Amino acid sequence: MDSNKRRRPPAPPGGPSKRQQTAPNAREDELIAEAEAADAEAAGIELPVDNDDEDIRQEVDADFELDLGEAGRNWERPPIPILRPSQNSIIFQQLETDYAISPPNRNVHPTELVEVPVIRMFGCTEQGNSVCIFVHGFEPYFFIEAPPGFGPDDCEPLKSLLNAKLSDLVKGRESRLCTSVRMEQRQTVLHYQREKARTFLRIGVATPNLVTKCRGILEQGIALPWLSYHQAFATYESHVLFVMRFMIDCDIVGGGWVELPAGSYALTAHQARTSHCQLEAHVHYARLVSHAPEGDWVKVAPFRILSVDIECAGRKGHFPEADKDPVIQIASLVTVQGQTAPAVRNIMTLDQCAPIVGAEVMSFRTEQQLLKRWRDLVIETDPDVIIGYNIQNFDLPYLIKRAETLKVTEFPYWGRIQKQRLKIRDAQFSSKAHGTHDYKDITIDGRVQLDVLTAIQRDHKLSSYSLNAVSSHFLNEQKEDVHHSKITELQRGTDESRRRLAVYCLKDAYLPQRLVDKLMIMINQIEMARVTGVPMSFLLTRGQSIKVFCMILKKARQRKMLIPNIKMSGGANPAADGVGYEGATVLDAKQGFYRTPVATLDFASLYPSIMMAHNICYSTLLPQQRQREVPPEEVLRSPSGDMFVKAHTSKGILPEILEELLSARKRAKADLKVATDGFLRAVLDGRQLALKLSANSVYGFTGATVGKMPCLEISASVTAFGRQMIEHTKKMVTEKYNKANGYDADCEVIYGDTDSVMVNFRIEENAKAMALGREAAEYVSATFVKPIKLEFEKVYSPYLLISKKRYAGLLWTNPDKWDKMDTKGIETVRRDNCLLVRNVVTTSLEKILIDKDLEGAQAYVRATISDLLMNRMDLSLLVITKGLTKGAGPEGYKVRAAHVELAEKMRKRDPATAPTVGDRVPYVIIKGAKGMKAFEKAEDPIWALEHHLPIDCQHYLDHHLEKPLLRIFDPIMKNSRELLTGEHTRSITLTTPSLNSGIMKFAKVRLSCLGCKSPLEDGETSLCKHCQGKEGEVYLRSLAAVDSLESAFAQLWTQCQRCQGSLQQDVICTSKDCPIFYRRTKARKDLNEAHATLARFPDW
Amino acid sequence: MADLMTDPSPDAESGTTFSRASASYECQDDRYLLPERTFLPDIQYAPIYFARMIKMQPMLLQKVQKAWPGIKKAKILELVEGEEVAVIGTVYKEMKMKPSILDEYTKDRGDHFLVNAVLDAGLGPQRPLPAPGAEGDAKYLAFVSGLGVGDESANPQRLALVVDYLTGMLGDSREHEKLSRVVRCIVAGGLLRSTEALAQPTTHTHPRKQADVMAPIREMDVLLSQLAAAMPVDVMPGASDPANHSLPQQRLHHCLFPGACSFTSFHRVTNPHSFKVDGVHVLGTAGQNVDDVFKYSTVEERLQILERILHWGHLIPTAPDTLAAHPFPSDDPFIVDRAPHVLFAGCQPEFASRCIKGPDGQQLLTSLPSDHSLRQ
């Protein structure tokens, strides 16, 4: 796809929305499934996978044979060693796990059931062979509380009762739906229970989708005639996904190593394989051996990563659509994890393409051949992970839809299970952190999909996420960017132009792989999966809460506790405003410019440490009504009024999880210090990061109002404790460090955020301030309960505090040299500001903080303002870019925004190059007629450049520069307004009347003398009579202009050639993110003008 | 020079007058003149490289066939593993430290191939050198460069000395006799010390300050007029002269030399400058090409660079990459298709010259006129 990857237009909102917020009411089965979807955890669709099983069966009999063309160089994986099931064991790193309903394998799992859920685990062995393991015998189950007086012999009647109820709900050949009912001793997690265990009933069912159906029946209330007992049951752990249930029960973590001991598995013969993996075996779940990711199991298998990128020839002016526009090139790059050079570099093109050094070029006459051959490539190279940039929303769905329109029915079969069609459906991912966006959920059996765009959007806050901007930010490489309207031109051209497009497409496939290596995305994903136990594919498609939920499930299982599946908003105390609770405190900020060092004391992971210190958890919470049952000395009351049992009576689950996470992180950091081998260091670093993130997300899990286990009492008390501690710290510090106790000056707490306090000791040297800071940290930490710790790391000197959550300062960690300039909430990072604002703000901050020279900063600001108003400012500094998220027109923006109007204007001018939805629109504000509104004055920079449109400098000063500058200079200067007015704001008015309007039509254009601007008679070309004498000086002046412009022109254009990598081909780069894009065009235009004036001096 | 100063010859006033020898002169600078001066709207540097490749290809093809008979010529794209092939292309030197306008720019090139020998275009064919006359009527050309007018630190006396010597005011009759055989004087750039003074915007500077900006130019004009009175003079613009920046630099404008222009013997020429005197083909620049190659390569001796330039067959090899050049739409004028008899480069740190024999009999003098720094 073209370089500035853009999100497809969001799927049309039509069709019955799957999500319904209404509380589930007991209508028939369909509604229960709806309710199931409604309270599906907020971080993503959790459509029960079961209702797809039916269509799996119909697909199987689609008959076609796979004609794998001759494979390219080292497409296949290394050959498999000879394996004797009785002697050798299979050890592999499990990457992807899912399940399918299929007839049981009788010799591995003897059962009389007609159909069972078979779990398929895909992975890669140490030698690099692909493995597919079918695990049999794992029965889906859930729990309900045993009614009073329920004995062992009541199990059978309940089972048959449930069976009867289920069979009239489910028409199927299966007769045994409810397979087992057993009594077990467990305890509920919610609220503190005095007694250790109670009897629960474990209800096993034949297939996972029956769990929700069975739960529906039980929640409506069921009559047990023989016990004369009629009541609705609360179910426990019935909302756990079947795959996660299996992994938790067998202690298998995502990305962990699994071993099938010798003799425990039935190896399938090579020809009889049903999957495309090299090794295939069937095993019973009890025989699996799972290795904890410690010691030498930390290693990563050499799995294969396929990076894909496609190019489509869109019609003029339209975003390429799958049903109309052909796919012309597909680039695929296979790399083996751990090796740097890619194993396969392949480009498949439509029509002939000139050869490319170092890449396999395969040309095809028809698109059908191209698509089929690419499918063979995917099956042949058999990648474990498919990556690419924006492949989830564009590349893969486009290929599938394109195959549909071209009726290439055997195309969408690149999963690892033979004859298994891919499923593609619209899904929605919504979470507070990342907002709501639709995406295409494609299930490719056995292959993990990692869209590098989503991964980067999750972890990094950038101004633009186009592949070009991201690669220049991380890989420090300015990529050539060809506009998609040019792609069609290049495709229709010769072999040579197609070759150029192919190189460009290969580059788009190569960059995601380099981004994955550089940012270690793969390593971090594996480590996160290992720490939280969640399968790899969940990490990207779902949010944070599923990770915490999985950890809680694992810990609860160890402690024999169960998680109830009820809508737990808990008794949110009425004091809080119903939905939310009071947030963290922010001490009032004393605005000012502090020259003396300001020490920052911040808490080490505040919220986790509070939870551990005060033993705050679901299982230690005492609800309102039962608060009197427990003696006062065993209970702790939180500032928000909730009661929690102390640790020695019963240790909570959350504190235990947090302790494990933080101690594991200390271990990982200790190993990191000692580790030497680069790869191991990367793994350990990824692990300690994953541990830190998971610990911090535990608090978020409890506070999520729409989530799996929301419990507002916990989050309210945690923040309440946090507030209390901040106030306490402030009081302690101010009381101790003042003149009375013998310190040089009274210290003052000038600002405090949720987890940090800024103290100004009013001492000159940094070293002394640091010593005091350390001392204060220890002094205050001593007064807190053990795991809570106040740390001192850095000092800000000087420190400019503007307002709450908005400050800038030089950060010192060692007394002799400052580390960096740290800013928060300041315009330097905002992305829709023009470069001018960012430069002015950063430079003035540097002058104020680093050089401590206020007058210098003010002089610089005045000079820049006068440059701006005298129209000497370089155009590229004035370009503002805004994202065009919604189309213009009625359903688009209500208020008429500048960039939307401009997009419309450009569409009328030239639909091909006009920005479409999802693009970033660059524009400058030009001087319009009187009374024109701001949005009418927006103009495309290149257009303004070519048509000499004057820039509206005053607008930039009032709307863009004024607020940030005043904000910075207010604390420093008495009245900062005088920066904006006064002598330096004399402005120059550039009037360029357009030649063809009104009176100008009749005027005759006459040259004006270069020396004194007086109109020249017809004969003369450069100077009037009076200035002839000064010809030398005037000539030199225009010569100087030509001189500087020529050198600028040479530098700019040779640079573009270097960046494009070839000398003989024209530069057609249209990358707007590149800083010299506008300067380049401006330099050429100015040079032309300068030469024209020089030519007016006749030289015989 | 130094000995002359000490003992002026006794018969200075003996009154024997010598008349200046003259020689046919044909200026061949038309390829460097840019008549239309304006740029095509979307002109770039690609055409100049392309033209250079196309024009030099025939020359190179012959050399390749001669050097490795029977070798297959292939385009860079058709490289096949393990097959030895001759490839013709522009050698581009990728240097990390090269100052670039995108300063943080780094790039690694994906595809590699092994180069085991590089062949350059070598010396072009040369017209026969006219038979050298008897020692008596040998004619000389005077090369002068780096006058550095308007340089406060330099002693103005020296400039006057150079001009007087050349115009025959100094020295005894022996000197005069030799001087009278100087046919033409080439000023190879470096007229002004520097042009910063001219460069700032003079629009609102005070008229009085503006006047002294022109002082060095007027002084230069006087000097050149004296020189032009005595002999034909070719004045080439140099790096620090009031001319356009990118090569080929155009002729200095006549309004800068009101006095000198009145002499017919005063010719303003482009840089690079190529001309024929009595059949001897002379080609040279004001030294920017040698300086730039020196800057970007480890070659120590500048004269060797001049030699290499001849073998490369291109007068300004580093243009337009690191040395600004005019983006010619369809031609590359700097290709040296015919080997000149004399190749010079002005404004060099010290004077040096060498005569080399080309493989098929060309013989050639390369010389580096001194720079003003010599005289400090």
Side-chain angles (χ1 to χ4, degrees), chain A residues 120 122 130-134 268-281 379 382 415-419 445 447:
Chain A
R120 302 177 305 200
F122 300 94
S130 61
V131 172
C132 169
I133 301 297
F134 294 89
T268 335
H270 197 67
Q271 310 73 0
R273 286 178 312 153
T274 59
S275 80
H276 287 298
C277 298
Q278 295 172 315
L279 287 172
E280 209 179 281
I379 294 173
D382 188 11
R416 268 187 166 154
I417 302 299
Q418 292 177 4
K419 301 192 184 63
D445 309 291
R447 304 196 203 282

Side-chain angles (χ1 to χ4, degrees), chain B residues 122-333:
Chain B
L123 290 174
Q126 191 185 46
R127 275 202 196 77
L129 193 64
E135 176 50 30
D137 56 7
K139 294 179 180 142
Y140 295 109
L141 276 177
F143 286 96
V144 172
S145 77
L147 302 179
V149 172
D151 170 8
E152 299 73 21
S153 60
N155 166 352
Q157 248 265 332
R158 288 184 173 278
L159 271 182
L161 193 67
V162 166
V163 173
D164 292 350
Y165 173 73
L166 279 176
T167 50
M169 310 290 192
L170 303 173
D172 55 11
S173 60
R174 263 188 299 90
E175 284 305 321
H176 288 185
E177 197 279 334
K178 206 159 62 142
L179 273 177
S180 72
R181 286 213 295 287
V182 171
V183 170
R184 174 177 285 277
C185 166
I186 318 292
V187 179
L191 296 166
L192 287 184
R193 178 74 187 71
S194 74
T195 51
E196 300 96 20
L198 311 175
Q200 339 103 339
T202 53
T203 38
H204 47 67
T205 47
H206 204 274
R208 249 196 336 289
K209 212 150 97 15
Q210 209 169 10
D212 62 27
V213 158
M214 286 301 287
I217 295 186
R218 266 194 289 283
E219 193 188 329
M220 180 177 67
D221 184 20
V222 163
L223 275 174
L224 288 177
S225 335
Q226 289 166 4
L227 206 56
M231 65 176 74
V233 173
D234 283 1
V235 176
M236 292 169 59
S240 62
D241 291 340
N244 66 325
H245 173 73
S246 47
L247 296 172
Q249 286 181 303
Q250 294 313 294
R251 303 183 309 183
L252 294 167
H253 198 270
H254 65 82
C255 68
L256 300 175
F257 312 99
C261 279
S262 54
F263 290 89
T264 55
S265 58
F266 178 76
H267 302 282
R268 290 167 290 111
V269 286
T270 64
N271 164 29
H273 177 43
S274 136
F275 59 93
K276 240 203 211 85
V277 171
D278 276 1
V280 174
H281 175 207
V282 180
L283 171 70
T285 68
Q288 289 108 326
N289 54 352
V290 173
D291 295 345
D292 203 57
V293 170
F294 184 75
K295 208 159 49 164
Y296 286 109
S297 67
T298 54
V299 178
E300 280 321 310
E301 203 227 5
R302 284 169 178 268
L303 204 56
Q304 207 195 342
I305 296 178
L306 213 51
E307 233 178 286
R308 293 300 317 147
I309 282 179
L310 268 179
H311 279 289
W312 288 328
H314 193 278
L315 190 57
I316 307 175
T318 54
D321 194 30
T322 51
L323 189 53
H326 177 76
F328 291 93
S330 57
D331 177 19
D332 181 355

Side-chain angles (χ1 to χ4, degrees), chain A residues 1037 1039 1043 1046 1058 1067 1088, chain B residues 39 44 92 202 242 245-246 320:
Chain A
R1037 208 183 317 133
L1039 184 71
D1043 207 6
E1046 268 183 355
R1058 242 174 259 146
V1067 174
N1088 256 333
Chain B
F39 284 46
Q44 295 185 16
Y92 165 72
T202 53
H245 173 73
S246 47

Side-chain angles (χ1 to χ4, degrees), chain A residues 761-976:
Chain A
F761 289 109
R762 288 206 182 81
I763 311 167
E764 281 318 311
E765 320 80 18
N766 292 349
K768 266 185 90 198
M770 285 189 179
L772 270 183
R774 248 175 247 106
E775 189 195 309
E778 268 115 32
Y779 169 69
V780 175
S781 301
T783 61
F784 284 127
V785 183
K786 198 180 66 42
I788 298 176
K789 200 160 145 325
L790 191 63
E791 278 163 357
F792 167 79
E793 282 144 20
K794 51 187 189 230
V795 162
Y796 283 111
S797 128
Y799 184 65
L800 175 66
L801 182 59
I802 296 165
S803 69
K804 199 170 67 139
K805 291 202 188 315
R806 209 188 280 275
Y807 58 79
L810 279 192
L811 194 131
W812 303 63
T813 43
N814 53 59
D816 29 35
K817 173 91 181 52
W818 54 275
D819 298 4
K820 67 180 172 75
M821 185 168 80
D822 188 11
T823 62
K824 183 166 185 297
I826 301 235
E827 264 63 27
T828 45
V829 83
R830 280 216 355 207
R831 64 180 178 178
D832 52 9
N833 273 343
C834 61
L835 217 53
L836 173 68
V837 174
R838 285 183 227 158
N839 292 354
V840 168
V841 167
T842 1
T843 336
S844 33
L845 277 181
E846 268 152 21
K847 283 197 183 314
I848 297 167
L849 299 177
I850 299 172
D851 321 338
K852 293 196 175 64
D853 150 21
L854 298 191
E855 292 65 30
Q858 285 159 24
Y860 165 74
V861 168
R862 284 202 195 83
T864 328
I865 290 177
S866 85
D867 266 2
L868 174 67
L869 294 177
M870 300 297 277
N871 205 347
R872 283 198 298 270
M873 193 56 77
D874 170 22
L875 190 76
S876 53
L877 290 176
L878 301 175
V879 175
I880 308 160
T881 53
K882 277 213 170 59
L884 190 67
T885 41
K886 293 195 280 291
E891 94 289 351
Y893 291 89
K894 314 290 170 301
V895 78
R896 297 181 58 175
H899 61 287
V900 177
E901 291 305 314
L902 177 59
E904 272 310 301
K905 229 189 276 184
M906 286 171 78
R907 191 164 296 123
K908 291 194 189 64
R909 284 189 197 134
D910 168 13
T913 54
T916 52
V917 170
D919 266 2
R920 290 189 68 75
V921 179
Y923 62 91
V924 276
I925 306 291
I926 55 167
K927 197 167 283 196
K930 269 266 162 309
M932 258 169 99
K933 295 204 197 48
F935 59 80
E936 283 155 344
K937 294 199 282 189
E939 192 45 78
D940 165 39
I942 301 284
W943 181 275
L945 197 64
E946 270 143 15
H947 296 75
H948 295 288
L949 303 178
I951 302 293
D952 182 352
C953 307
Q954 197 56 36
H955 175 273
Y956 277 97
L957 183 60
D958 306 341
H959 295 274
H960 289 274
L961 268 180
E962 193 171 325
K963 259 204 324 327
L965 284 179
L966 289 188
R967 227 184 264 128
I968 289 178
F969 283 94
D970 263 348
I972 305 169
M973 297 166 57
K974 284 166 296 314
N975 59 344
S976 47

Side-chain angles (χ1 to χ4, degrees), chain A residues 431-536:
Chain A
S431 82
K432 201 156 43 57
H434 307 295
T436 321
H437 54 82
D438 303 325
Y439 67 97
K440 287 277 182 294
D441 179 13
I442 305 168
T443 34
I444 307 178
D445 309 291
R447 304 196 203 282
V448 176
Q449 287 162 64
L450 181 68
D451 187 345
V452 176
L453 172 65
T454 338
I456 289 182
Q457 272 172 343
R458 283 259 161 94
D459 313 340
H460 304 274
K461 182 104 188 46
L462 296 177
S463 63
S464 129
Y465 289 105
S466 75
L467 182 56
N468 191 17
V470 166
S471 66
S472 75
H473 185 264
F474 291 115
L475 305 174
N476 210 326
E477 209 180 273
Q478 199 56 273
K479 185 175 88 67
E480 182 212 357
D481 169 15
V482 176
H483 197 270
H484 69 79
S485 63
K486 282 254 179 358
I487 289 176
T488 331
E489 246 172 81
L490 289 175
Q491 168 66 7
R492 285 204 199 93
T494 62
D495 289 12
E496 200 53 44
S497 66
R498 273 192 290 279
R499 172 192 170 279
R500 182 156 188 202
L501 197 57
V503 166
Y504 174 76
C505 182
L506 265 172
K507 182 109 212 232
D508 273 8
Y510 187 44
L511 277 176
Q513 179 60 43
R514 288 192 56 202
L515 282 171
V516 164
D517 296 343
K518 178 89 193 271
L519 301 173
M520 294 189 287
I521 295 175
M522 190 50 79
I523 306 278
N524 293 348
Q525 293 288 347
I526 292 176
E527 281 312 310
M528 184 59 95
R530 284 177 174 172
V531 162
T532 53
V534 172
M536 289 268 295

Side-chain angles (χ1 to χ4, degrees), chain A residues 73 345 354-358 472 475-478 496 499 507 510 514 1030-1033 1035-1037 1039-1040 1042-1044 1046-1055 1057-1068 1074-1076 1079 1084 1087-1088 1091-1092 1094-1095 1097-1100, chain B residues 37-47 49-50 53 75-79 90 92 94 98-102 104-109 111-112 195 198-199 201-203 210 213-214 217-218 242-246 251-256 261 268 320-322 324-327:
Chain A
R73 208 155 37 85
R345 268 164 70 111
I356 300 171
V357 176
S472 75
L475 305 174
N476 210 326
E477 209 180 273
Q478 199 56 273
E496 200 53 44
R499 172 192 170 279
K507 182 109 212 232
Y510 187 44
R514 288 192 56 202
K1030 295 202 276 112
E1031 193 183 10
E1033 277 130 45
Y1035 173 76
L1036 283 179
R1037 208 183 317 133
L1039 184 71
V1042 167
D1043 207 6
S1044 60
E1046 268 183 355
S1047 63
F1049 178 86
Q1051 268 183 352
L1052 288 167
W1053 284 95
T1054 46
Q1055 178 55 46
Q1057 283 202 317
R1058 242 174 259 146
C1059 159
Q1060 165 200 309
S1062 96
L1063 304 177
Q1064 260 85 8
Q1065 282 159 339
D1066 273 355
V1067 174
I1068 52 172
C1074 171
I1076 58 173
R1079 275 178 65 185
R1084 178 163 60 193
L1087 191 54
N1088 256 333
H1091 266 299
L1094 204 63
F1097 289 89
D1099 185 9
W1100 21 263
Chain B
R37 290 308 288 274
T38 50
F39 284 46
L40 301 176
D42 54 3
I43 188 71
Q44 295 185 16
Y45 280 120
Y49 282 113
F50 196 69
M53 172 100 130
K75 287 193 80 182
I76 198 161
L77 310 170
E78 296 127 5
L79 279 188
T90 328
Y92 165 72
E94 168 58 38
K98 192 190 288 181
S100 115
I101 203 153
L102 281 175
E104 91 292 353
Y105 174 75
T106 57
K107 179 135 177 26
D108 54 359
R109 214 171 278 295
D111 29 31
H112 308 277
T195 51
L198 311 175
T202 53
T203 38
Q210 209 169 10
V213 158
M214 286 301 287
I217 295 186
R218 266 194 289 283
N244 66 325
H245 173 73
S246 47
R251 303 183 309 183
L252 294 167
H253 198 270
H254 65 82
C255 68
L256 300 175
C261 279
R268 290 167 290 111
D321 194 30
T322 51
H326 177 76

